């Protein structure tokens, strides 16, 4: 894959010429402009239309998102459709419901709804372009500073990121608002004005209307300098992420948990970096300093025989035998559940917490001759005993789970494989004595894949 890097060119036309050249090299076959009808996205769409005319031009279209928040939203959508029709650019309007619930940020709610709609449209080698510019980047950095954000937040808006099956690119991040306004004037463009951009109760608008004009009196290059700092911080954040990923690999106990002993070998700063990265990979917000402090005090630094837990962001953080787990909601499973299994395809277990698969092996696993009739998968009811093939005597399944270090919350949902009424295998742990394949015989090995 060809990597497209952010090009620092301050001229709008040259920036987009270089962008289109690199987009083709990177395999982009379709560009969608997020078109609001405002000056910034109108200029982006118009300039791309003028430049993207060669025989190997990239397919270009536009999408307008109607958030259903403004009385004029439908009228703005009609304006966008008219402009696209005049340019012979395919156009689509998507309606979303972005009205915030009590306590929700209106801006965040609208942004999440907007990008969810865009993501649903993305295909492979398909890029979404948005028109954020240099001043937008400077405002984002200052807002993040005022919120006390960490390195990832201070990196502000990335030039390029994954979005669904495609990519989201912001090609104008080094272009000033003045350059955009100059092009709009030269091309006689008409655009819509969102009245909420004048509302200074919105933090970004307050910075734009009241703070930046004052800063520019003393520092005329305020936006450019802050945008440059955001670029440096983005590089630092990328380096921190790469270090965190390398460190994280050294801390995994398995796919579901971290080894706390391994985590403690790193410095306190790197431990925090590892945990923030791990949570982010799991789709959670990166925890701030206060939440990390609670996590270390109550979970990581708890005594070794403790099993503490901490609820956060709809998940539960738990420690068990020096392993750290992040668990989603654990749903109850009917203890009478059972399912016949012919081994031809993977079997998903109740509530989707894990899946069961099988593969043919030699000299180990369950004797393959026993699979001529369907096996039955059940879950633990309590009171079961079994004799692992590698052990000299039988034990209760409860004791065996403890000895195999199975976390308590997994024991009552762990799959058990029966032949008739006889327990013959506990997947992922052992085959019961008398049912294992001999050294030269064909066997079936069971693979338990836990989600998380």
């Amino acid at each position: 894959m060809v990597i497209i890097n952010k090009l620092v060119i301050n001229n709008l036309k040259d920036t987009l010429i270089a962008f289109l050249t690199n987009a083709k090299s990177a395999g982009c076959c379709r560009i969608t402009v997020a078109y609001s009808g405002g000056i910034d996205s109108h200029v982006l769409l118009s300039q791309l239309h003028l430049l993207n005319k060669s025989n190997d031009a990239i397919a270009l279209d536009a999408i307008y998102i109607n958030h259903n928040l403004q009385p004029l939203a439908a009228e703005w959508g009609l304006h966008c459709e008219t402009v696209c029709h005049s340019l012979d650019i395919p156009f689509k309007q998507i309606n979303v419901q972005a009205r915030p619930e009590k306590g929700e940020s209106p801006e965040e709610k609208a942004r999440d709804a907007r990008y969810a709609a865009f993501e649903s449209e993305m295909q492979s080698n398909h890029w979404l372009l948005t028109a954020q510019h240099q001043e937008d980047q400077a405002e984002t950095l200052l807002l993040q500073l005022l919120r006390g954000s960490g390195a990832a937040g201070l990196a502000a808006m990335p030039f390029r990121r994954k979005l669904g099956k495609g990519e989201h690119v912001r090609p104008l991040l080094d272009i000033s608002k003045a350059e955009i306004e100059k092009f709009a004037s030269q091309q006689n463009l008409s655009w819509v004005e969102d009245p909420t951009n004048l509302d200074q109760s919105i933090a970004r608008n307050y910075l734009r209307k009241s703070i930046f004009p004052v800063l520019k009196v003393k520092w005329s290059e305020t936006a450019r300098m802050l945008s440059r700092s955001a670029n440096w911080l983005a590089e630092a954040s990328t380096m921190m992420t790469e270090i965190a990923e390398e460190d994280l690999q050294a801390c995994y106990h398995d796919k579901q948990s971290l080894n706390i002993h391994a985590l403690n070998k790193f410095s306190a700063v790197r431990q925090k970096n590892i945990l923030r990265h791990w949570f982010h990979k799991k789709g959670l917000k990166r925890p701030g300093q206060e939440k990390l402090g609670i996590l270390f005090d109550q979970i990581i630094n708890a005594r070794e025989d403790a099993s503490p837990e901490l609820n956060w962001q709809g998940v539960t953080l738990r420690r068990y035998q020096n392993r750290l787990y992040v668990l989603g909601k654990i749903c109850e499973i009917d203890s009478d559940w059972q399912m016949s299994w012919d081994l031809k395809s993977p079997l998903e277990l109740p509530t989707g917490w894990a899946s069961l698969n099988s593969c043919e092996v030699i000299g180990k696993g369950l004797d393959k001759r026993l699979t001529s009739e369907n096996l039955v998968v059940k879950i633990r009811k309590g009171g079961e005993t079994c004799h692992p093939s590698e052990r000299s005597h039988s034990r209760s399944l409860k004791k065996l789970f403890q000895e195999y270090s199975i976390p308590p919350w997994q024991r009552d949902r762990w799959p058990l494989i029966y032949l008739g009424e006889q327990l013959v295998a506990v997947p992922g742990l052992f085959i019961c004595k008398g049912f294992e394949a001999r050294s030269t015989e064909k066997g079936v090995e069971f693979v338990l894949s836990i989600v998380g």
Side-chain angles (χ1 to χ4, degrees):
M1 173 178 141
V2 177
I3 302 299
I4 176 170
N5 293 312
K6 187 164 158 311
L7 296 157
V8 183
I9 305 171
N10 295 324
N11 175 277
L12 175 65
K13 180 179 178 181
D14 291 344
T15 294
L16 291 179
I17 289 173
F19 166 77
L20 287 169
T21 299
N22 283 328
K24 291 172 186 176
S25 298
C28 174
C29 60
R30 178 183 168 198
I31 288 174
T32 294
V33 173
Y35 185 30
S36 68
I39 184 173
D40 303 331
S41 60
H42 196 153
V43 165
L44 175 60
L45 183 67
S46 297
Q47 184 67 289
L48 283 172
H49 172 70
L50 291 172
L51 298 173
N52 187 42
K53 289 183 178 294
S54 63
N55 290 333
D56 61 342
I58 301 172
L60 176 65
D61 59 56
I63 291 179
Y64 169 73
I65 304 293
N66 184 347
H67 299 87
N68 290 290
L69 297 175
Q70 298 291 331
L72 295 175
E75 187 176 316
W76 296 340
L78 184 59
H79 166 84
C80 292
E81 185 175 14
T82 301
V83 169
C84 288
H85 180 74
S86 70
L87 298 174
D88 197 26
I89 294 174
F91 171 80
K92 183 175 184 177
Q93 175 171 314
I94 300 177
N95 294 304
V96 299
Q97 294 302 322
R99 198 166 298 281
E101 302 292 333
K102 185 177 180 181
E104 288 185 319
S105 160
E107 296 81 18
E108 187 172 343
K109 180 77 172 183
R111 183 173 61 251
D112 289 347
R114 180 165 63 250
Y115 280 109
F118 286 136
E119 183 172 340
S120 69
E121 296 290 316
M122 302 304 290
Q123 299 299 324
S124 179
N125 297 319
H126 179 188
W127 290 8
L128 173 77
L129 269 55
T130 54
Q132 291 94 348
H133 49 74
Q134 194 173 82
E135 279 81 354
D136 291 326
Q137 184 74 310
E139 291 161 6
T140 300
L141 173 59
L142 193 51
L143 281 170
Q144 297 289 53
L145 281 167
L146 292 170
R147 291 167 180 158
S149 298
L154 295 179
M157 294 181 288
F159 173 70
R160 182 183 180 189
R161 69 182 183 99
K162 288 288 295 179
L163 182 65
K165 296 178 182 178
E167 306 274 348
H168 172 204
V169 185
R170 298 179 173 97
L172 304 185
L173 282 181
D174 283 309
I175 301 298
S176 69
K177 182 73 169 184
E179 180 77 12
I180 290 171
E181 291 172 339
K182 177 182 174 183
F183 177 88
S185 175
Q186 289 172 344
Q187 297 295 317
N188 247 348
L189 301 182
S190 62
W191 58 88
V192 301
E193 295 282 3
D194 184 347
T196 62
N197 289 336
L198 302 175
D199 180 3
Q200 293 197 45
S201 67
I202 298 172
R204 184 179 290 275
N205 291 343
Y206 178 72
L207 288 180
R208 184 179 300 155
K209 300 294 183 183
S210 296
I211 302 302
F212 271 88
V214 175
L215 291 174
K216 287 179 180 179
V217 171
K218 179 69 175 176
W219 298 281
S220 60
E221 296 288 294
T222 294
R224 189 169 70 87
M225 293 297 100
L226 287 175
S227 181
R228 187 169 74 177
S229 292
N231 291 341
W232 286 117
L233 287 162
E235 289 188 9
S237 179
T238 298
M239 181 172 63
M240 288 176 64
T241 298
E242 291 173 356
I243 293 170
E245 179 61 27
E246 186 176 321
D247 292 350
L248 179 61
Q249 294 302 318
C251 292
Y252 276 128
H253 174 81
D254 52 32
K255 292 181 179 180
Q256 291 76 45
S257 64
L258 299 188
N259 184 311
I260 291 177
H261 286 321
L263 182 68
N264 283 333
K265 292 179 181 178
F266 292 95
S267 68
V269 171
R270 284 173 73 165
Q271 286 182 44
K272 293 176 184 177
N273 194 37
I274 292 166
L275 291 171
R276 288 192 185 102
H277 181 60
W278 189 44
F279 293 141
H280 181 66
K281 288 186 70 170
K282 288 183 169 291
L284 302 170
K285 291 182 179 178
R286 294 179 177 91
Q289 289 287 81
E290 182 180 353
K291 184 58 67 176
L292 277 174
I294 294 172
L295 173 58
F296 275 95
D297 289 343
Q298 296 186 11
I299 306 291
I300 294 174
N301 295 330
R303 68 180 193 275
E304 292 203 0
D305 61 345
S307 299
E309 58 183 73
L310 175 66
N311 294 317
W312 175 64
Q313 284 194 55
V315 300
T316 301
L317 309 177
R318 297 187 67 163
R319 173 176 174 154
Y320 175 70
Q321 293 194 350
N322 286 306
R323 287 175 285 178
L324 179 64
Y325 294 84
V326 176
L327 306 173
K329 182 180 179 182
I330 298 177
C331 301
E332 293 295 324
I333 298 177
D334 183 355
S335 62
D336 290 328
W337 177 88
Q338 64 179 49
M339 182 72 70
S340 180
W341 189 30
D342 61 9
L343 309 186
K344 292 179 180 178
S345 58
L347 179 67
E348 184 172 307
L349 298 176
T351 74
W353 82 278
S355 63
L356 195 54
N357 211 334
S358 66
C359 59
E360 190 172 301
V361 291
I362 298 294
K364 58 180 179 177
L366 181 70
D367 187 339
K368 191 173 187 302
R369 292 170 296 182
L370 300 176
T371 65
S372 58
E373 49 186 296
N374 281 0
L375 301 173
V376 176
V377 181
K378 302 180 182 181
I379 60 171
R380 179 184 171 206
K381 287 187 175 183
E384 297 90 349
T385 60
C386 45
H387 187 171
S389 59
E390 70 274 14
R391 297 206 179 190
S392 58
H393 57 276
S394 299
R395 298 213 68 176
S396 71
L397 187 57
K398 177 181 177 179
K399 288 287 187 183
L400 288 167
F401 277 150
Q402 292 172 354
E403 292 172 11
Y404 281 95
S405 298
I406 303 303
W409 58 88
Q410 291 179 352
R411 296 172 189 171
D412 288 340
R413 57 190 58 227
W414 202 274
L416 309 176
I417 296 181
Y418 283 80
L419 185 62
E421 295 301 314
Q422 180 66 53
L423 175 61
V424 297
V426 181
L429 300 183
F430 54 82
I431 303 297
C432 295
K433 194 170 185 65
F435 300 97
E436 69 274 24
R438 296 181 180 178
S439 59
T440 59
E441 295 175 337
K442 290 182 179 180
V444 175
E445 198 164 60
F446 300 107
V447 180
L448 182 67
S449 300
I450 299 173
V451 176

